[in-house]
Amino acid sequence: MNKLRCCVIDDEPLASGLIASYILKTPFLELAGEYSSPNDATSAILSGDIDIVFLDINMPQISGVEFARIIPPSTRVVFTTAYDSYAVEGFRLNALDYLLKPVSYPEFLEAANRALKWKESVDVRQTAVSATVDDRFIIVKSEYKLIQIAIDDILYIEGLKDYVRIYTASRERPVMTLLSMKSIESKLPEPQFMRVHRSFIVNTSRITTIERNRIVFGESYVPISDSYRQMFNDFITARTLDPRNSD
């Protein structure tokens, strides 16, 4: 079994060190980093390489609640705080657990086991998506059914918290499945499918109109974010006919 990669974000050294020591003594956890502020942890978190963040709520500059809003869906949060008044807000953000300081090891272990069960369930669900031998289809699990989707029929894919929506040309409604953007992106052929936004993957062969940094699919618009704009523009430029070069 692969260990859950964890990091601790807390501006109190004693509290941070305690949680870090608990991670080190738990066989199925791995300490990937210990940070005194969210700013220091941003790069590691956004890389998508962290499974669980033990996140303090009361910190200067940016609170744990504010930081949790930008954490990618593939990473889950366990809040740690000395105040129980944040519990409701924490669970609104889909936190795995909420630990009150000082945290005992049994309390920590209970939260860690909950995280392990979450990770195991995600791994099982992700095996529901697979490519066929000729890579013309993917199969996803949606609403207790397995649905086969032709690769060329996909218009674009939208990532949500723990789900993705797959929009196709032949279906009126998108197919929703419990997957991460990273897992479904790995099953799609490049450069036919391209990430243009943290939350969107598009089928480039289905693009007909681009306007004002948006890709138009009928009445829907897919934004092109700054992070992916240069790569997308290079792709489009390489395929754009220049009348100045015609005979």
Side-chain angles (χ1 to χ4, degrees):
M1 179 187 68
N2 292 330
K3 293 186 176 183
L4 295 181
R5 288 178 57 79
C6 306
C7 74
V8 184
I9 307 176
D10 197 318
D11 63 329
E12 299 176 8
L14 290 177
S16 178
L18 180 64
I19 297 297
S21 71
Y22 288 166
I23 293 172
L24 291 171
K25 70 186 289 186
T26 306
F28 56 86
L29 301 181
E30 175 184 347
L31 181 62
E34 189 177 350
Y35 306 95
S36 60
S37 75
N39 291 336
D40 294 338
T42 299
S43 178
I45 297 293
L46 295 184
S47 72
D49 197 35
I50 302 297
D51 297 306
I52 306 297
V53 180
F54 290 90
L55 180 62
D56 183 29
I57 289 181
N58 289 310
M59 289 181 286
Q61 297 181 341
I62 178 172
S63 73
V65 170
E66 291 170 327
F67 186 65
R69 299 184 194 280
I70 68 168
I71 290 177
S74 58
T75 301
R76 296 295 296 274
V77 172
V78 175
F79 283 119
T80 60
T81 183
Y83 306 96
D84 60 6
S85 57
Y86 292 99
V88 173
E89 181 65 20
F91 286 112
R92 278 196 193 127
L93 291 168
N94 202 23
L96 274 175
D97 213 332
Y98 187 97
L99 298 175
L100 284 175
K101 298 177 181 179
V103 180
S104 69
Y105 184 64
E107 291 171 329
F108 172 88
L109 191 57
E110 185 176 345
N113 279 314
R114 185 173 289 112
L116 181 62
K117 289 179 181 178
W118 161 76
K119 182 62 174 175
E120 288 174 343
S121 68
V122 168
D123 290 343
V124 168
R125 289 163 187 148
Q126 288 183 345
T127 60
V129 60
S130 61
T132 58
V133 174
D134 58 9
D135 290 331
R136 291 183 300 161
F137 303 92
I138 58 172
I139 299 172
V140 298
K141 188 174 183 181
S142 179
E143 297 178 349
Y144 307 103
K145 298 178 291 186
L146 291 176
I147 299 177
Q148 180 172 276
I149 302 173
I151 290 287
D152 291 336
D153 191 38
I154 298 173
L155 299 174
Y156 63 95
I157 297 166
E158 179 184 11
L160 304 172
K161 181 67 176 177
D162 292 314
Y163 294 82
V164 297
R165 286 191 186 126
I166 305 172
Y167 293 81
T168 66
S170 62
R171 290 177 172 86
E172 291 185 4
R173 299 176 58 190
V175 176
M176 182 175 286
T177 183
L178 190 57
L179 291 168
S180 68
M181 289 286 276
K182 184 177 180 180
S183 64
I184 197 166
E185 186 177 22
S186 68
K187 298 295 183 181
L188 299 171
E190 298 180 290
Q192 181 179 351
F193 287 85
M194 179 177 292
R195 183 83 74 100
V196 296
H197 188 279
R198 178 185 166 201
S199 301
F200 289 96
I201 298 170
V202 298
N203 183 349
T204 58
S205 67
R206 285 284 189 170
I207 295 174
T208 58
T209 305
I210 304 168
E211 63 176 33
R212 296 193 295 274
N213 291 318
R214 300 182 303 179
I215 303 168
V216 182
F217 291 99
E219 297 181 357
S220 300
Y221 297 90
V222 172
I224 304 167
S225 71
D226 292 339
S227 301
Y228 297 92
R229 185 167 298 138
Q230 186 60 55
M231 180 176 62
F232 181 73
N233 287 345
D234 290 345
F235 175 84
I236 295 299
T237 300
R239 290 156 178 80
T240 301
L241 299 179
D242 189 341
R244 294 172 296 180
N245 296 330
S246 60
D247 294 332

